[in-house]
Amino acid sequence: MLTLDTRSQVLTLLDAAALGPTGQDEAALIFVSQTQDPVTVSRRAFRQAVLEAAAALLNQGVGARDLIVIAHVQSLESIATFWGALWIGAIPSMFPTLTEKLDPEIYRRSIGDLVAREGVKAVFTTEEFAPYLREVVHCAVYSSAAGVTGDESVLPDGTGYSADPDEIAFLQHSSGTTGLQKGVALSHRAVLNHLASYCDAIAIDESDVVVSWLPLYHDMGLIAGFLMPLIQGIPLVLMSPFEWVKAPAMLLRAISEYRGTLCWLPNFAYNHCARRIRERDLQGLSIASMRMFINTSEPVLASSHQMFYERFASIGCRREMLSTSYGMAENVFAVTQTRFGIVPPVETIDRVLLEEQGRAVVVPADHPNAVVKTSCGEPIDGTEMCVIDPSTGRVLGEREVGEYAIRSNCLLSEYYRRPDLNPIEADGWYRTGDIGYLAGGRAYVSGRVKDLIINGGKNIFPADLEAIVNEVGGVHPGRAVVFGVFDEREGTELIAVIAEVRGAPDGESLRTIIADLRRTVATRAGVTASFVKLVDDRWLIKTSSGKIARNANRAKWLREREEEQSALSSET
């Protein structure tokens, strides 16, 4: 197992246990689906698939240090292509395919620009998506129909590419409107340093089983739900994110059947499971084998954990299973992690002091200004963390709110082919763009620097308001976005709320929801929602990782508002 004690014995990602000579008949991957029987891939079959993919890449003209893009659905083909690229020394990157939640024109423009800027050698995608990509990229595009097998005689030996540990292993692309913003370049050394520290933090061992529905183009899915289990040689039970969204009970069924122990989920997934999984879906299931459900990638809501626990306690959920982490692609994945067996601490702090003075002061739960914050754990080994003033760079003290900065042995090498971006400062610190505070060595995340709304001198965190809006009757939980709009007359940012409503309410019902929403925000947050727009399920723009794209929705709202005002002016 890769741990801090064994780290010196593992030099590159090709030293992965799933590619090694031992345990050839053990399961490396298990694909589960709603529509077909499970498919188990042994280590022997996985290695063979990787060798065939490596040979196919060479036959298709891909060589060492070439960048390739993999834009498949989750399948053995995409996984083998990724590892096959590593085998020959190419640089793979998982991309999302176009879905109904992404703006097709923005996606089209973004992917074409990015492929050109990064000098992509070839794109590997589905048969359906290949013609679309050929219209916007100037490189070879191979569809699934072409297959990934190749003549293994072109491989020089059975050991794979001899990589320098500091060479770039692969790229992760940071999440934005399309998920294709910057290529985060990660070396073999950085990834292995991270996994050694992270696996110690969660006390991983040979008995663990990872169960995941997460997309492989997102850092949570790529690292925790893909690379880590294959490198450690523990089974990975994988399912389609599209199937999971429609039938979330399949996750619990997989945990029950394969005795899963580890699963990573973004915050919305806890709510989705608790609300969408029916009682009859739980018959005969047990999730008592689980060690940790780990909530990461966005501010953690204590209410989501409570909802999940109450819903699934009857089939074995325990509070200590519900763990937390704070992560980002630039640090490979995790920055912090609540240690195994510890229930994440929850604090009730004074919202007014937080917003107006930038101080996290603990108050009783019944305090009129109380707001709940959940710890995301302490930094993993090898990673330092501090809080700085975003404007001056001054290091802040305990419970002072500011921007997180990190320094570690697993930071990115660079933003790929972006010499205009210098992410790491001279003293080794990386400014994350995330806001929060430290207390007792633990991180409490509030939001993004750029998302912060300054309303009448108060620092308003959109995520806090979104959590309030999501509880308003008639609003679809998890489908609200809050942002600031600067108003010259008022001389400050005003607060805008867009919320998706359930069903098809009539005009009177919509007015009632808007009134309830404004009243609830004013009562619980002490601010005014100046603009409220209720929309249907086709309006909101999401990122490729499933998050609501705050900036994209802000731009769309402003554009529609300008068009409406222009139309009114024309009429008068």
Side-chain angles (χ1 to χ4, degrees), residues 67-265:
L67 174 62
I68 69 164
V69 162
I70 304 164
H72 285 139
V73 294
Q74 297 192 165
S75 63
L76 180 59
E77 180 180 359
S78 58
I79 290 171
T81 303
F82 185 95
W83 284 90
L86 294 175
W87 193 272
I88 65 172
I91 302 172
S93 183
M94 294 288 197
F95 274 23
T97 55
L98 181 63
T99 69
E100 61 182 15
K101 295 298 183 181
L102 298 176
D103 184 303
E105 288 309 311
I106 294 176
Y107 183 93
R108 181 185 180 90
R109 181 171 63 252
S110 177
I111 196 170
D113 292 346
L114 186 140
V115 166
R117 182 174 68 244
E118 295 188 347
V120 173
K121 178 73 172 183
V123 177
F124 297 84
T125 189
T126 62
E127 188 172 4
E128 178 184 15
F129 198 44
Y132 177 87
L133 281 183
R134 291 188 181 108
E135 295 178 359
V136 295
V137 302
H138 299 288
C139 67
V141 177
Y142 297 102
S143 69
S144 301
V148 296
T149 59
D151 180 2
E152 293 176 41
S153 66
V154 301
L155 299 175
D157 55 47
T159 59
Y161 177 74
S162 181
D164 183 310
D166 290 315
E167 283 184 339
I168 296 170
F170 58 85
L171 303 187
Q172 295 192 78
H173 283 84
S174 59
S175 180
T177 301
T178 65
L180 306 173
Q181 302 305 299
K182 298 186 294 288
V184 176
L186 298 171
S187 69
H188 291 267
R189 188 187 306 277
V191 175
L192 294 171
N193 284 345
H194 178 275
L195 289 179
S197 295
Y198 190 61
C199 288
D200 274 21
I202 61 175
I204 203 165
D205 65 29
E206 289 87 351
S207 66
D208 278 310
V209 177
V210 172
V211 182
S212 180
W213 59 267
L214 296 164
L216 301 183
Y217 53 77
H218 189 271
D219 59 345
M220 193 183 347
L222 182 69
I223 305 301
F226 174 45
L227 291 180
M228 186 189 72
L230 292 173
I231 287 170
Q232 295 289 21
I234 60 176
L236 167 60
V237 182
L238 198 61
M239 63 195 70
S240 161
F242 303 108
E243 284 194 53
W244 172 81
V245 167
K246 295 177 181 177
M250 68 186 297
L251 179 70
L252 303 189
R253 283 199 299 272
I255 290 171
S256 182
E257 181 172 354
Y258 296 100
R259 298 192 59 76
T261 61
L262 295 167
C263 181
W264 284 260
L265 302 170

Side-chain angles (χ1 to χ4, degrees), residues 463-508:
D464 290 345
L465 294 190
E466 287 162 2
I468 292 171
V469 172
N470 285 330
E471 296 180 12
V472 173
V475 171
H476 194 302
R479 305 283 178 84
V481 61
V482 174
F483 49 82
V485 181
F486 187 78
D487 186 276
E488 292 186 6
R489 185 179 61 183
E490 298 292 337
T492 190
E493 283 186 291
L494 302 182
I495 296 169
V497 178
I498 302 173
E500 183 180 307
V501 292
R502 292 181 290 193
D506 57 25
E508 182 60 32

Side-chain angles (χ1 to χ4, degrees), residues 291-457:
R291 291 202 299 113
M292 303 173 84
F293 289 98
I294 302 176
N295 190 338
T296 188
S297 86
E298 56 190 83
V300 175
L301 298 181
S303 58
S304 298
H305 279 197
Q306 182 65 20
M307 184 188 304
F308 189 91
Y309 167 73
E310 291 176 354
R311 182 71 184 87
F312 302 118
S314 63
I315 61 169
C317 183
R318 303 183 303 277
R319 291 188 186 278
E320 62 268 25
M321 290 179 180
L322 305 181
S323 187
T324 57
S325 178
Y326 160 61
M328 61 185 55
E330 285 82 356
N331 204 53
V332 181
F333 171 47
V335 174
T336 67
Q337 172 65 48
T338 301
R339 275 22 181 197
F340 169 59
I342 296 175
V343 177
V346 175
E347 295 190 339
T348 307
I349 62 174
D350 189 314
R351 173 184 51 77
V352 174
L353 295 179
L354 180 75
E355 295 171 352
E356 296 182 356
Q357 299 181 23
R359 295 189 298 125
V361 177
V362 176
V363 295
D366 60 355
H367 191 281
N369 299 328
V371 63
V372 177
K373 297 292 181 183
T374 303
S375 164
C376 290
E378 62 258 36
I380 63 173
D381 286 341
T383 295
E384 302 172 73
M385 190 176 193
C386 68
V387 178
I388 63 173
D389 184 310
S391 302
T392 66
R394 179 177 65 88
V395 177
L396 302 177
E398 179 95 344
R399 295 193 169 279
E400 288 189 287
V401 179
E403 180 182 3
Y404 290 124
I406 60 174
R407 184 166 60 185
S408 78
N409 62 4
C410 50
L411 279 172
L412 74 165
S413 302
E414 61 181 274
Y415 287 122
Y416 193 70
R417 294 200 176 185
R418 291 296 303 270
D420 56 313
L421 300 175
N422 298 302
I424 301 175
E425 297 176 350
D427 55 0
W429 289 94
Y430 170 78
R431 294 176 61 153
T432 66
D434 292 318
I435 291 178
Y437 63 93
L438 294 173
R442 299 185 178 95
Y444 292 79
V445 182
S446 294
R448 295 283 299 168
V449 172
K450 292 181 180 179
D451 294 338
L452 187 69
I453 303 169
I454 302 177
N455 174 257

